[in-house]
Amino acid sequence: MSGIAWHARIVCGNEVGAGFLISGRRVVTCAHVVRASAARAVTVSFPNSRSLGTLPATVAFLGGWAGDAADPGDLAVLELDREVPLEPAQFAPPGAELAGEPAPTLVVYGFPKGYDEGMLARYHAVPGTLVSDEWRQLEAATAHGQALAPGFSGAAVTLADGRVVGMVSTIAGARDGRVGRMLPTQVMARHWPELGALIAAPDHGQEAVRRLYGLVRRAVAEGADCDPDRLFNDAVGPFGPELPEGGFASLGAAAGYVQWEVQDGEAVTRFADRLQEMLDAPRARRTAAPVWSPIVVEMDRSGAGGDQVTVEVSAYRDGQRRRVGSKRLPRAAVRAWVQERIDEAFTQLAPEAEELITFVLPREWLNEPVAHWECGADDTTPLGCAYPLVVVDRSRHRSGRLRHQLAKRWQKLDTSPGAHLHRVDCGTTERPQSLRKRLRDGDADLTGFSFPPSGAPPHFEVGLNTPVAVLLWPRTGCTGSPHDGPCPGATFLDELSDRLTGVPPAELPRHVMELRETAEADEEPDRHWARDVQLLWDDPRCFPEPAASLHSPVA
């Protein structure tokens, strides 16, 4: 029974699919099976261990699937509300679905309509290249018997001995269910690098791989400042493959690339050895700077109409992104929905976590007064006074180039004694091109504007498109043009310079929260210089997983 007990049946709204247990609490399935999870509960059952009953689950990770059958990344990781006493699935080496002559018959355990207990289907993998470097095509082993049908999505594709070689992902459009597609295990690990710890690559021993991913998890948990590009270059050596264009967005991505794409059998060991050296070396960041656990609120205009907004709330724990909910709403309803989801997101954080509320916004919404939003219907405290709160520009949050450059900037900032404020005052005569050069070539990692983004859009564009780690500005006040008399924007920058010069940039979110609290407690809060301070604080290492595509959810 232990060899088949890990097969799971997934239900989310009207969608029924399959999945498989990979640890005591985690189940892998297709993202499209749980696409309604923002509005509908997700439940998991194990038909071969019925005594466990039906277990609630949450979506802990999504592979970046954008919503269409031809989109890559159709993978989700679910977290059960408790551990189950079952042995998880075991994985075969990549390519085992084609090994031997003739090629092995593959077995799929799914749940078509009317068969809640499950049905088995037999298939062969089609040799040759992967379809779009993502899918292995499957064709039925016989002209009769059970074919792939709705209810098989997310099912493990196994060898006769039960070891997993992939996951069924595409059924729609298959010819009578006799043709389908699976995500091979190495593709699954590309979308979720942590899975790589369970799969031995042909040229690397299982123990070496487990050690590698154990060190990656330790680095993420400790907030270590380990440059994945440098680790990759150290692992492959001067005569190894070149660094991929744009570099790596996370340690997990670099580790997975070395595991699957580098043929040198010692590369994984060298990567792990170098990473362990970095982790064991004393570093100032561990004692001087907080390790933030972001709660991310990502917003974008919906294609459903001018007033519609797509919103997604996620929380990060141990370097993993856990989606709390996503929904398409009229703009007037966004605030109340976000307040509830932020409160729910706190349940996903570790007890000792340093929370950081992060609003990822389209460029034209960066001046939104999100720090003034109330915590909830029963708590009028502004969010920006209750928690460290920052905004992030959505386009640069998704730019591999800027994420890579910003990560290098932050690595330097971790060892600096504190940032110096670079000013952009009202009436500046500096050309945007000159500002760009100074920001790129100099040490202007903390840049303050005396006016909101509408005051000088070209100069703000430069700040956002250059890897400057921190931008601050007043949401209201000066227009950016030259003027006579007292300048509120100049006062704003003077006060910022006095209070923030020398503060380590990693600690700025908490310092700005304290400034907002001071303004809120003032006798005349509306006239306090810090009343409308907006902080764009962008450390991509706080978001180690590449951002998934934000799309309108199917409810």
Side-chain angles (χ1 to χ4, degrees), residues 97-463:
E97 69 272 15
L98 299 173
E101 187 62 42
T105 298
L106 306 175
V107 182
V108 186
Y109 193 142
F111 304 93
K113 186 175 181 180
Y115 294 93
D116 292 357
E117 71 281 11
M119 288 287 284
L120 299 175
R122 293 186 296 164
Y123 277 75
H124 290 303
V126 176
T129 60
L130 298 181
V131 177
S132 293
D133 197 35
E134 179 82 2
W135 299 280
R136 174 72 65 192
Q137 186 166 314
L138 301 174
E139 295 183 351
T142 67
H144 307 285
Q146 177 64 50
L148 294 181
F152 278 87
S153 293
V157 181
T158 71
L159 301 173
D161 62 9
R163 290 181 298 160
V164 178
V165 296
M167 178 181 73
V168 174
S169 63
T170 307
I171 297 170
R175 191 169 58 252
D176 299 325
R178 300 294 168 184
V179 178
R181 291 176 179 176
M182 77 171 187
L183 292 177
T185 52
Q186 68 269 29
V187 174
M188 296 171 67
R190 181 197 307 159
H191 295 300
W192 188 49
E194 193 169 327
L195 188 65
L198 305 177
I199 310 167
D203 296 324
H204 311 296
Q206 188 69 50
E207 286 305 315
V209 170
R210 285 178 180 153
R211 174 177 173 244
L212 170 66
Y213 284 96
L215 290 168
V216 169
R217 286 192 295 272
R218 175 186 164 192
V220 170
E222 295 180 3
D225 313 322
C226 304
D227 183 352
D229 296 350
R230 178 182 172 190
L231 281 163
F232 172 82
N233 288 328
D234 288 347
V236 303
F239 303 108
E242 293 184 1
L243 183 74
E245 185 177 355
F248 296 104
S250 68
L251 271 180
Y257 193 92
V258 170
Q259 179 185 3
W260 301 113
E261 307 296 338
V262 177
Q263 301 303 313
D264 183 350
E266 296 300 316
V268 161
T269 299
R270 288 195 295 269
F271 191 105
D273 287 346
R274 186 71 183 104
L275 178 55
Q276 182 151 19
E277 288 177 15
M278 292 182 175
L279 292 174
D280 291 343
R283 293 175 295 111
R285 176 175 168 84
R286 295 192 187 180
T287 57
V291 179
W292 298 109
S293 295
I295 291 175
V296 178
V297 181
E298 185 166 1
M299 300 167 56
D300 195 15
R301 294 188 186 279
S302 169
D307 184 50
Q308 296 293 304
V309 179
T310 302
V311 192
E312 182 166 296
V313 177
S314 306
Y316 277 82
R317 179 167 179 168
D318 299 330
Q320 294 293 324
R321 175 176 171 267
R322 302 180 177 209
R323 191 177 70 166
V324 176
S326 64
K327 198 166 186 178
R328 186 174 64 220
L329 298 160
R331 191 163 181 178
V334 168
R335 183 181 304 195
W337 188 86
V338 166
Q339 289 167 338
E340 293 178 2
R341 297 292 86 71
I342 287 178
D343 193 62
E344 185 180 342
F346 274 92
T347 65
Q348 300 292 332
L349 301 184
E352 70 283 0
E354 294 276 1
E355 68 275 1
L356 177 68
I357 310 297
T358 304
F359 279 81
V360 181
L361 303 172
R363 192 158 291 189
E364 64 271 23
W365 293 354
L366 284 176
N367 209 41
E368 285 292 305
V370 291
H372 290 291
W373 288 12
E374 297 175 349
C375 287
D378 300 320
D379 184 355
T380 60
T381 306
L383 277 171
C385 294
Y387 314 107
L389 183 149
V390 302
V391 298
V392 173
D393 175 53
R394 188 167 181 267
S395 61
R396 90 174 193 164
H397 184 65
R398 295 176 174 277
S399 167
R401 173 182 63 86
L402 283 171
R403 282 172 63 89
H404 175 69
Q405 293 174 330
L406 280 165
K408 292 196 293 185
R409 284 278 183 115
W410 276 100
Q411 191 170 11
K412 293 179 181 177
L413 287 173
D414 287 339
T415 59
S416 68
H420 171 74
L421 181 70
H422 176 84
R423 301 172 62 118
V424 181
D425 284 280
C426 293
T428 178
T429 58
E430 184 174 26
R431 297 172 63 240
Q433 295 87 342
S434 174
L435 178 62
R436 179 188 302 114
K437 188 175 190 307
R438 282 200 297 120
L439 294 182
R440 188 179 296 279
D441 296 344
D443 58 354
D445 292 298
L446 174 59
T447 300
F449 291 83
S450 66
F451 44 84
S454 59
H459 292 78
F460 258 90
E461 289 286 331
V462 166

